[in-house]
């Protein structure tokens, strides 16, 4: 118990990893369980952010180089591109089907 | 308990609490605004990890760009003055099972692994010069490819979203 309190008082690599693990699980939960396609996208953003926390935490504590941070920048770039494309697709789906619930969209043609 | 720990727990609570609201809220707009605070909390964590440039990038790109895009999507695809704003959940039982399994596995692995801790962690005041150097030397090719990807995504998104329906 004393060890655990001691551990809690000094945030290190493990604290950030645990936080990103929980964030990742929440993101996966949103992707699986939400009906609205935009909620699924928000879950994906959470997942990408948790991966970024991992990259930067390892970059700071383990490698001591800046490679992790550069890769985190690429992740952010891809997240921006992904969000733009995905929202364009969602808008198109809404025009065609009048809904964005992922369980009701079950045909490729309109 | 020193200041670093207090700030870490503050941002951790902001991030995880907002992420929980994002995931469990019934209202899409609440989720979108909770996502703002979750991303803000992650930016704070970046500052704690000595990544000041990335924290600013996170605020600019995520909070300023992606979040506005998401809100656009919410407003354009839901009937604002209707009950449609509420969104339902599906597959709750498998989702909760997967959530428990996944978080248990990940947290267990992170907890039990004896990670390598470097002797000299990154502890500099500004990271932008180093990142800029690496982007133009080691990571030059991915950097250029990323610019092309962004251009393609921009044009593609505009074309997909503006396509007129025939008939």
């Amino acid at each position: 118990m004393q060890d655990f309190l001691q551990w809690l008082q000094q945030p290190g690599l493990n604290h950030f990893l645990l936080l990103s693990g929980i964030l990742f699980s929440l993101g996966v939960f949103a992707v699986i369980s939400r009906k609205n396609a935009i909620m699924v996208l928000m879950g994906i953003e959470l997942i990408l952010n948790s991966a970024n926390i991992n990259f930067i935490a390892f970059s700071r504590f383990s490698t001591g180089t800046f490679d992790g941070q550069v890769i985190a920048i690429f992740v952010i770039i891809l997240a921006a591109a992904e969000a733009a494309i995905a929202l364009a697709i969602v808008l198109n789906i809404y025009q065609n089907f009048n809904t964005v619930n992922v369980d009701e969209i079950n045909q490729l043609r309109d | 308990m020193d200041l670093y720990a207090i700030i870490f727990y503050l941002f951790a609570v902001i991030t995880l609490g907002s992420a929980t609201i994002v995931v469990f809220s019934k209202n899409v707009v609440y989720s979108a605004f909770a996502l703002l605070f979750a991303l803000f909390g992650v930016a704070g964590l970046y500052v704690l990890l000595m990544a000041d440039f990335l924290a600013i990038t996170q605020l600019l790109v995520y909070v300023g760009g992606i979040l506005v895009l998401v809100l656009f999507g919410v407003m354009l695809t839901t009937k604002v003055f209707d009950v449609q704003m509420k969104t339902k959940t599906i597959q709750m039982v498998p989702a909760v099972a997967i959530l428990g399994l996944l978080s248990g596995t990940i947290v267990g692995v992170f907890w039990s692994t004896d990670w390598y801790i470097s002797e000299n962690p990154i502890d500099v005041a500004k990271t932008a010069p180093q990142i800029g150097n690496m982007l133009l030397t080691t990571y030059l090719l991915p950097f250029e490819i990323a610019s092309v990807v962004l251009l393609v995504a921009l044009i593609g998104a505009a074309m997909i979203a503006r396509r007129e329906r025939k008939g």
Side-chain angles (χ1 to χ4, degrees):
Chain A
M1 192 65 198
Q2 198 66 37
D3 284 353
F4 184 68
L5 284 178
Q6 187 72 28
W7 180 83
L8 274 183
Q9 282 180 12
Q10 287 159 340
L13 178 61
N14 267 330
H15 297 69
F16 287 98
L17 293 187
L18 292 181
L19 195 150
S20 82
I22 299 171
L23 202 59
F24 180 83
S25 310
L26 284 173
V28 171
F29 183 80
V31 171
I32 295 173
S33 72
R34 299 317 294 260
K35 252 181 152 180
N36 195 318
I38 295 176
M39 294 299 306
V40 175
L41 286 180
M42 291 190 209
I44 294 174
E45 302 298 340
L46 287 183
I47 292 174
L48 290 171
N49 266 289
S50 76
N52 259 356
I53 292 178
N54 257 6
F55 271 124
I56 299 174
F58 277 118
S59 157
R60 161 122 201 260
F61 290 108
S62 285
T63 65
T65 61
F66 287 89
D67 295 82
Q69 296 196 11
V70 177
I71 289 173
I73 288 181
F74 289 126
V75 172
I76 290 178
I77 292 172
L78 289 181
E82 172 257 348
I85 294 286
L87 281 169
I89 292 174
V90 167
L91 287 185
N92 233 10
I93 286 175
Y94 183 72
Q95 281 182 1
N96 283 335
F97 293 92
N98 219 13
T99 179
V100 286
N101 290 345
V102 286
D103 57 336
E104 293 166 31
I105 301 160
N106 49 16
Q107 52 189 10
L108 284 172
R109 61 182 181 82
D110 51 1
Chain B
M1 204 170 202
D2 58 346
L3 193 61
Y4 188 87
I6 293 171
I7 295 176
F8 170 77
Y9 285 114
L10 179 70
F11 280 120
V13 166
I14 289 176
T15 307
L16 290 184
S18 311
T20 313
I21 296 175
V22 170
V23 174
F24 291 105
S25 169
K26 291 268 175 262
N27 192 321
V28 192
V29 180
Y30 290 171
S31 290
F33 278 104
L35 187 67
L36 190 156
F37 290 103
L39 298 173
F40 176 76
V42 173
L45 291 173
Y46 290 172
V47 173
L48 284 181
L49 285 168
M50 302 283 167
D52 55 344
F53 178 73
L54 266 163
I56 298 297
T57 312
Q58 168 94 359
L59 283 182
L60 283 178
V61 175
Y62 266 107
V63 181
I66 294 181
L67 203 72
V68 173
L69 218 56
V70 167
L71 275 175
F72 254 109
V74 170
M75 295 300 172
L76 288 175
T77 57
T78 45
K79 302 177 180 69
V80 180
F81 300 108
D82 206 349
V83 284
Q84 278 287 311
M85 202 65 118
K86 300 250 188 295
T87 174
K88 292 201 184 70
T89 51
I90 45 173
Q91 303 165 345
M92 275 307 273
V93 176
V96 169
I98 290 176
L99 175 74
L101 268 177
L102 195 67
S103 60
T105 311
I106 293 174
V107 167
V109 168
F110 282 163
W111 180 270
S112 58
T113 311
D114 193 15
W115 299 106
Y116 170 72
I117 303 287
S118 170
E119 301 286 308
N120 38 1
I122 292 179
D123 201 0
V124 293
K126 45 189 176 189
T127 58
Q130 281 92 340
I131 290 175
N133 261 332
M134 292 187 82
L135 276 181
L136 288 182
T137 53
T138 320
Y139 291 95
L140 182 59
L141 184 63
F143 182 62
E144 297 292 338
I145 292 175
S147 66
V148 177
V149 165
L150 276 180
L151 182 68
V152 170
L154 195 73
I155 298 173
M159 278 197 65
I160 293 173
R162 282 188 56 84
R163 194 176 59 199
E164 303 289 327
R165 269 196 299 168
K166 294 186 184 69

